Amino acid sequence: MSESPELAERHDLARHPEGGWYRRTWTSPETVRLVGPDGSVRVRPTATLILFCLPPGECSAWHTVASDEVWIWNGAGPVTLQLGGRGDRPVDGQRVVLDAAAPQAVVPAGTWQRTLPADTTGLVSCLVSPGFDFADFRLADESRG
């Protein structure tokens, strides 16, 4: 989809590299120092928040984030998350539907995830803690299946 959906235009959302449309709406002014297994130090905000819109028929690519994510349904159409485990590559796993019956879900740090297509546009918020940084984001190697 090259044209932005109406909800994306209304909320000034841009294309996300994984698929869908997004805009960061908040970044905590507080930071945290994270030490990696190799001793490297990364500084991240304690949390970040985005709006994420998924138009009908679109899905996002399998990806992982190095932080926990709290997904919050915003009252538009449902959004389905598929969790793919924590291995070297994603596997077909649990599906979680965000809607009026279940408006929140947590995706633990390092878990493969993607959003699945729906018949209606979905709008969610995603709170990431420690805060999101593209350096901590990894897309699946689609050539590996």
Side-chain angles (χ1 to χ4, degrees), residues 39-116:
S40 63
V41 176
R42 302 179 330 256
V43 176
R44 299 288 183 261
T46 57
T48 56
L49 182 66
I50 66 166
L51 275 175
F52 180 78
C53 174
L54 193 67
E58 276 198 51
C59 62
S60 69
W62 281 112
H63 64 283
T64 63
V65 175
S67 299
D68 291 334
E69 297 184 54
V70 179
W71 287 70
I72 306 158
W73 182 68
N74 288 331
V79 171
T80 301
L81 296 170
Q82 184 174 23
L83 307 182
R86 297 175 55 96
D88 290 337
R89 55 193 266 192
V91 296
D92 287 341
Q94 175 187 9
R95 292 179 185 210
V96 177
V97 178
L98 295 164
D99 59 13
Q104 296 181 349
V106 175
V107 177
T111 300
W112 287 105
Q113 63 178 296
R114 67 180 176 175
T115 55
L116 299 175

Side-chain angles (χ1 to χ4, degrees), residues 113-133:
Q113 63 178 296
R114 67 180 176 175
T115 55
L116 299 175
D119 295 333
T120 58
T121 299
L123 183 67
V124 294
S125 294
C126 185
L127 177 76
V128 180
S129 180
F132 180 83
D133 188 296

